[in-house]
Amino acid sequence: MSLSSPTSACSSSRCYSSGLSLPIGFRSNPINVGLVCYPKRHSIAARKFVVACSSSSDPLLVKAAKGQAVSRPPAWMMRQAGRYMAVYQKLAKKHPSFRERSENTDLIVEISLQPWQAFRPDGVIIFSDILTPLPAFGVPFDIEEVKGPVIQSPIRTEEDLKRLHAIDFEKLQFVGDSLKILRREVGEHAAVLGFVGAPWTIATYIVEGGTTRTYTVIKNMCHTAPNVLRALLSHLTKAITEYVVYQVEHGAHCIQIFDSWGGQLTPEMWERWSKPYIEEIIHAVKKRCPDTPIVFYINGNGGLLERMKGTGADVIGLDWTVDMADGRRRLGSEVSVQGNVDPAYLFSPLPALTEEIERVVKCAGPKGHILNLGHGVLVGTPEEAVAHFFETARNLEYQTLFQNHVPAEKAESELVA
């Protein structure tokens, strides 16, 4: 790789530094929210930055993910960079290929920073896709306009498994480069978020050959070719673990694991075919990157919350179909939560949106909560509503919202006394 190799960020007591120059046209001023002119090429060699190890310098989102005391809930949105933004639509006309937009360092950085420049969220997630690493371990794919992701040669047999190989990070350098630039651009004013797909979810694309509504092929494999499916999931687990560590080493403060299609399994099947592999990833990452919080999200997770908690994730993301108060009760106070405003509320009158944000925050409690939607931002969402969401979050104060709140541990000690 052309980048200088950083000292590992995945150590409980050491910081790392990595070579990075701040490209001309980038600004670190947290107040200036004007648009930035992005150069055609980014230099990533001259300057160095240091990732602080002390929790006192952690961004607000990281502190909340770790369950530390904060003054308000940090806020970001899944799919906060994308099609609802006019500036993104304009860029997409010039670069109509999604693969180009998500695999070119200059475009990744520009798109990732568009919502940061406009709304100043507390988290800046890299513009990418859960399928991005597939070619790096032997699974090429295309994205077609109507069909979406298409894998011409699905993996369904032992012979097919021979096409897989160890993940090659030379083919993912654009991800590492982009994370370094994003980390330098936002500094400690926001958390830089990386993400991966869970093994089961990635396997659905690889086995089915693309998107599906029924998942019949892979579900059938659970019974007709279980050894092949286990071998595939094991390979994905190793590759995804290394990909998480790679993202952390290149600047991600926090990682979100998306088991987007885990909710398509029965709870018993999820326990067997998804959970063990997610546990393995989290355990391995925690061993190598103990200071990096991991957020875990499943779409349609109402029946899986207690099982999700058992994976060891620091934060459990709730979709909007779960009542936040019920979710918090079921998960307990030892794990943080994320969510879970219904994305459709962003189409409502702004006072109704404000009321719903405050309701969700009050239900989540004054500790260990990252404010988010219960799913990604919908196409056509008014930018005014997104701006209002973040402005409302910034103006919240736990001290005001929970004036009469008695911490659970204090109440318990008083009862004992």
Side-chain angles (χ1 to χ4, degrees):
M1 294 175 65
S2 61
L3 295 179
S4 57
S5 181
T7 305
S8 175
C10 300
S11 168
S12 59
S13 60
R14 293 166 58 191
C15 298
Y16 78 88
S17 65
S18 55
L20 175 68
S21 65
L22 182 62
I24 295 171
F26 279 83
R27 294 189 291 270
S28 295
N29 183 352
I31 303 302
N32 189 337
V33 296
L35 294 176
V36 175
C37 296
Y38 296 89
K40 290 296 182 183
R41 293 180 180 274
H42 294 298
S43 170
I44 319 218
R47 292 194 197 170
K48 291 185 177 182
F49 70 91
V50 176
V51 177
C53 291
S54 86
S55 61
S56 61
S57 63
D58 281 340
L60 187 70
L61 188 149
V62 175
K63 291 181 179 179
K66 293 179 178 179
Q68 298 171 1
V70 292
S71 60
R72 65 169 177 85
W76 71 284
M77 291 182 180
M78 291 181 280
R79 295 183 184 167
Q80 69 185 13
R83 292 175 292 175
Y84 72 98
M85 294 190 73
V87 65
Y88 176 86
Q89 295 166 14
K90 183 177 179 181
L91 182 146
K93 287 180 181 178
K94 290 179 61 179
H95 305 277
S97 167
F98 177 83
R99 290 287 298 273
E100 180 191 6
R101 295 195 297 274
S102 61
E103 297 180 17
N104 175 286
T105 299
D106 297 307
L107 296 178
I108 292 170
V109 171
E110 181 172 359
I111 294 168
S112 302
L113 289 175
Q114 284 173 349
W116 165 249
Q117 295 292 337
F119 311 120
R120 280 301 194 264
D122 296 299
V124 175
I125 191 166
I126 183 171
F127 182 76
S128 188
D129 192 88
I130 60 172
L131 301 184
T132 293
L134 266 59
F137 52 80
V139 185
F141 72 96
D142 298 308
I143 295 183
E144 298 182 3
E145 191 67 33
V146 177
K147 284 187 175 181
V150 175
I151 295 171
Q152 299 291 351
S153 301
I155 293 178
R156 298 171 183 171
T157 67
E158 289 187 10
E159 189 64 26
D160 295 336
L161 289 170
K162 295 176 182 178
R163 301 200 303 267
L164 299 174
H165 56 72
I167 192 165
D168 179 5
F169 288 111
E170 291 289 341
K171 296 181 179 179
L172 292 169
Q173 185 170 335
F174 55 87
V175 173
D177 290 358
S178 299
L179 285 167
K180 285 188 174 187
I181 295 169
L182 292 174
R183 182 65 179 262
R184 180 63 181 88
E185 174 64 9
V186 304
E188 301 304 322
H189 300 298
V192 173
L193 305 171
F195 68 93
V196 295
W200 168 265
T201 287
I202 299 299
T204 65
Y205 292 96
I206 295 175
V207 170
E208 299 277 351
T211 56
T212 176
R213 293 183 179 181
T214 59
Y215 305 91
T216 51
V217 178
I218 190 169
K219 287 184 177 182
N220 186 47
M221 274 186 74
C222 294
H223 308 287
T224 60
N227 292 338
V228 174
L229 185 53
R230 288 192 189 98
L232 173 60
L233 291 168
S234 294
H235 188 93
L236 292 174
T237 298
K238 292 181 177 64
I240 292 166
T241 299
E242 295 303 319
Y243 189 39
V244 169
V245 173
Y246 177 82
Q247 291 184 55
V248 174
E249 287 181 338
H250 286 78
H253 288 99
C254 186
I255 297 291
Q256 177 151 321
I257 298 174
F258 287 91
D259 195 7
S260 304
W261 309 128
Q264 298 297 319
L265 291 168
T266 65
E268 186 274 333
M269 290 290 280
W270 185 81
E271 284 270 3
R272 187 187 306 179
W273 291 103
S274 187
K275 183 180 179 180
Y277 303 97
I278 293 168
E279 285 180 319
E280 186 176 335
I281 292 170
I282 293 175
H283 176 77
V285 171
K286 286 296 179 184
K287 192 172 182 179
R288 296 166 66 179
C289 312
D291 292 328
T292 302
I294 295 177
V295 182
F296 179 30
Y297 173 83
I298 299 177
N299 184 30
N301 60 14
L304 297 170
L305 291 186
E306 292 83 0
R307 291 172 168 87
M308 291 174 70
K309 180 181 176 181
T311 61
D314 301 281
V315 185
I316 301 299
L318 307 183
D319 76 13
W320 78 93
T321 65
V322 178
D323 179 77
M324 177 57 80
D326 182 54
R328 176 58 97 181
R329 178 187 60 78
R330 291 167 61 189
L331 290 168
S333 59
E334 63 269 28
V335 64
S336 295
V337 293
Q338 178 175 277
N340 68 337
V341 174
D342 182 347
Y345 259 98
L346 294 168
F347 293 84
S348 303
L350 296 185
L353 175 59
T354 301
E355 185 177 336
E356 177 63 6
I357 291 170
E358 291 179 351
R359 185 195 69 80
V360 167
V361 171
K362 289 177 181 178
C363 289
K367 184 180 178 183
H369 176 221
I370 299 169
L371 180 63
N372 205 315
L373 302 179
H375 198 267
V377 182
L378 299 171
V379 177
T381 296
E383 291 187 48
E384 177 191 14
V386 176
H388 183 78
F389 180 96
F390 288 116
E391 183 181 1
T392 300
R394 278 190 294 272
N395 290 331
L396 293 173
E397 292 183 2
Y398 281 143
Q399 191 171 3
T400 302
L401 287 172
F402 297 96
Q403 287 180 348
N404 300 319
H405 176 78
V406 179
E409 57 269 20
K410 182 177 179 182
E412 185 176 330
S413 64
E414 288 178 350
L415 284 172
V416 171

